[in-house]
Amino acid sequence: MGALDKFAEFIDWYPKGMSKEERHLVYKIDWLVLSFSCIAFFTKNLDVSALTNAYYAGMGDDLNLDGNKLQFATSMYFVGYAIFQIPSNIVLTRLPAEYYLPAFEVMWGLFTLGTAFIKSYEQLLVMRFFVGVTACSCWVGNAHIVNSWYTRQELGKRNAIYGCVYPLGAMFAGYLQSAAYLNLNGAHGMEGWRWLFIVCAIITIPCAIIGVFFCPNVPDRTRSRYLTEREKQLCVERLLKDGFAKTRGIGRGLFKRIFGNWRIYVFFVVGNLFWMTPYPSGLPYGLWLSDTTLPNGDLKYSPDMVNNLSTISYAATIVSTMACGFYSDWRKNRWETVLYGGILILVCNVLLLVWNVPDGAKFFAFIGLGLANGPTNLIVPWLAEFMSHDLEARSTSIAIINVGWVVINCVVPIIAWPIPSAPRFLGGYIWSVVMSVVEIVLLPLPMILERRELKKGINYAKMIAEEHGMVSAGLEEKTKGVDDEQSLEEAGRAKNDKEVEVNSIAV
């Protein structure tokens, strides 16, 4: 056993009892799936974070971004992002992901490049809208790909790797802006913040090519040249055994399969609350740093120091995301880790609401909210496990929930976190404290509703495995599935009563 294998065993990277053949397969999946997904998500966050970093470094003054103009520019990105996100993830389940996702990455790279040459606030709004339109496929599309390849004991760790890309991109953008400001400011008559967008585009566009060669799509539609036919078959079999169904197609019943189930409603509310309440670890933290003064009234931190210090919360997110991903796989549940995050979010937001605390306590609160972002990355794998029985419904549900976050991110910052109220943001911290309490209260709902289903005899993972002969069905009649228009509750009862033959699993 090599050093790498020993390390993988030590950190429980592969579930215990996994065969050598399957370990080798998962090793290849990790390289194929995570390589492009992480690189694409990194460049997307690099481009998106560039706006805030450019604002700190002089763009606000050059384009006269007073009042809430920065918030409106950010919201224009999210408008484009929200409008096309759900259609994009539906289309992704039918088109080759290895071409679809890289094509959009090239386009958002070009619009990022165009931002370097804008002359007015109105042009900024246009560019941010089209960056949002073309970036809509990235996070949800790659989240769908990542959560389509792994079993329940593997999802937490792989989503941790994927989730770490967001803070890494934001951190790197901060360091990149600091370097651009110090080394390129004034080069060829261009401000340092303009160079940031140019450098981001130079990084983004070539990275798209990686997807054409490495993105494997989803297991039962993969055409990857790096997987043998036996490996492709094993990819599908091991997921079926764990209760993850094959692709079923879109069909006219797709939205009935989504909205006829409690999962979309519960995760829409719980997920968006947990994603939004750590918000102060981002822009409010940076604005507090840039507003902090010395006793003589001078600014305490230079623009490049603000950029560097603002990355500390992202570093905390990286550490927390990895720890929480591994811990949740080890514990074989997601709710426990998310609960820890919810409690930390509440404590930190209460500290910031009080505000009249030492600067050290404020630093603790802002960095603590960065740590709390780690558990929130488990919302998507948690949803993926609850919707393992329907690939298309799962993909679309991830997009729907993320659109909710986008809409909230457009509205709440403008109302609760208006720039003129910086750095105090009293209304914003009141909102965050109230929502932090609500999210903790609602957290048990998925487990309560799932237990209610199990009491009625509805166990989707078992139904998927039994349909494909992965485990003994224990039925007198051979089980084959459920009619597409039949409800899951009816399907569960039918299986328990041994009254029906099944044709295909439906939601």
Side-chain angles (χ1 to χ4, degrees), residues 443-485:
L443 183 61
L445 262 182
M447 289 83 73
I448 293 171
L449 294 173
E450 184 185 41
R451 289 192 185 110
R452 183 178 297 175
E453 284 182 341
L454 292 174
K455 285 181 181 179
K456 294 178 180 179
I458 305 172
N459 187 329
Y460 302 136
K462 184 179 179 182
M463 291 162 66
I464 295 293
E466 289 177 354
E467 180 204 2
H468 293 86
M470 298 299 172
V471 293
S472 174
L475 301 175
E476 293 178 3
E477 297 177 50
K478 185 178 179 181
T479 59
K480 295 181 181 177
V482 184
D483 183 77
D484 187 57
E485 299 302 322

Side-chain angles (χ1 to χ4, degrees), residues 85-152:
Q85 195 167 116
I86 295 173
S88 175
N89 243 34
I90 293 175
V91 171
L92 179 61
T93 64
R94 309 318 308 155
L95 296 182
E98 61 270 28
Y99 301 119
Y100 183 82
L101 294 175
F104 274 80
E105 182 168 359
V106 169
M107 286 188 285
W108 92 61
L110 292 174
F111 284 113
T112 299
L113 178 64
T115 310
F117 303 99
I118 58 175
K119 303 296 183 183
S120 67
Y121 168 64
E122 290 74 20
Q123 291 176 352
L124 174 64
L125 294 181
V126 172
M127 284 297 175
R128 296 314 290 176
F129 174 78
F130 283 106
V131 169
V133 169
T134 51
C136 71
S137 66
C138 182
W139 185 82
V140 290
N142 284 293
H144 162 64
I145 299 294
V146 170
N147 285 279
S148 295
W149 283 90
Y150 296 105
T151 64
R152 297 168 200 272

Side-chain angles (χ1 to χ4, degrees), residues 188-208:
H188 298 282
M190 296 177 64
E191 297 87 349
W193 64 264
R194 295 184 185 275
W195 280 105
L196 174 63
F197 291 108
I198 294 173
V199 173
C200 286
I202 291 172
I203 295 172
T204 298
I205 295 173
C207 286

Side-chain angles (χ1 to χ4, degrees), residues 318-458:
I318 293 171
V319 174
S320 175
T321 298
M322 292 301 297
C324 292
F326 278 76
Y327 179 79
S328 68
D329 274 0
W330 174 63
R331 293 287 294 166
K332 297 182 180 178
N333 74 64
R334 313 296 175 200
W335 70 265
E336 184 178 315
T337 314
V338 176
L339 175 61
Y340 296 153
I343 294 171
L344 181 59
I345 290 170
L346 176 60
V347 170
C348 293
N349 278 318
V350 168
L351 274 174
L352 293 172
L353 175 60
V354 174
W355 193 255
N356 292 320
V357 296
D359 283 355
K362 287 191 180 78
F363 265 114
F364 167 81
F366 285 122
I367 305 307
L369 289 171
L371 283 170
N373 272 314
T376 66
N377 281 300
L378 295 172
I379 296 294
V380 171
W382 198 14
L383 171 65
E385 292 167 352
F386 269 96
M387 301 198 71
S388 61
H389 48 277
D390 194 325
L391 183 144
E392 284 78 15
R394 180 172 72 241
S395 173
T396 309
S397 296
I398 292 173
I400 291 171
I401 292 171
N402 197 57
V403 166
W405 175 82
V406 169
V407 173
I408 292 170
N409 218 36
C410 283
V411 177
V412 172
I414 294 174
I415 297 174
W417 308 91
I419 297 296
S421 66
R424 179 63 181 95
F425 290 123
L426 177 62
Y429 292 123
I430 292 174
W431 181 88
S432 291
V433 168
V434 173
M435 292 301 103
S436 298
V437 173
V438 173
E439 69 191 13
I440 294 174
V441 172
L442 294 179
L443 183 61
L445 262 182
M447 289 83 73
I448 293 171
L449 294 173
E450 184 185 41
R451 289 192 185 110
R452 183 178 297 175
E453 284 182 341
L454 292 174
K455 285 181 181 179
K456 294 178 180 179
I458 305 172

Side-chain angles (χ1 to χ4, degrees), residues 171-337:
M171 284 177 65
F172 190 75
Y175 300 139
L176 195 62
Q177 177 59 62
S178 180
Y181 184 82
L182 292 174
N183 301 309
L184 292 174
N185 192 30
H188 298 282
M190 296 177 64
E191 297 87 349
W193 64 264
R194 295 184 185 275
W195 280 105
L196 174 63
F197 291 108
I198 294 173
V199 173
C200 286
I202 291 172
I203 295 172
T204 298
I205 295 173
C207 286
I209 301 172
I210 295 173
V212 176
F213 294 100
F214 288 98
C215 181
N217 208 333
V218 294
D220 56 329
R221 294 178 58 217
T222 185
R223 298 183 295 180
S224 175
R225 70 192 75 181
Y226 304 104
L227 296 173
T228 66
E229 290 304 315
R230 166 58 188 158
E231 287 173 333
K232 293 175 184 176
Q233 180 183 2
L234 181 57
C235 286
V236 175
E237 289 177 353
R238 70 193 208 97
L239 290 171
L240 289 172
K241 189 175 181 180
D242 202 39
F244 285 86
K246 291 184 186 180
T247 178
R248 296 185 51 228
I250 298 174
R252 58 188 176 87
L254 175 62
F255 285 97
K256 179 181 178 181
R257 285 148 48 194
I258 296 171
F259 292 106
N261 193 286
W262 58 263
R263 287 160 174 77
I264 185 65
Y265 305 104
V266 171
F267 277 96
F268 185 92
V269 175
V270 173
N272 281 300
L273 286 175
F274 272 94
W275 284 341
M276 197 63 196
T277 44
Y279 177 80
S281 66
L283 182 61
Y285 173 43
L287 291 174
W288 173 69
L289 288 172
S290 62
D291 190 71
T292 304
T293 58
L294 296 169
N296 63 5
D298 292 339
L299 290 176
K300 189 173 183 179
Y301 306 112
S302 63
D304 60 303
M305 183 60 72
V306 170
N307 276 320
N308 291 336
L309 287 176
S310 65
T311 63
I312 296 176
S313 64
Y314 295 122
T317 299
I318 293 171
V319 174
S320 175
T321 298
M322 292 301 297
C324 292
F326 278 76
Y327 179 79
S328 68
D329 274 0
W330 174 63
R331 293 287 294 166
K332 297 182 180 178
N333 74 64
R334 313 296 175 200
W335 70 265
E336 184 178 315
T337 314

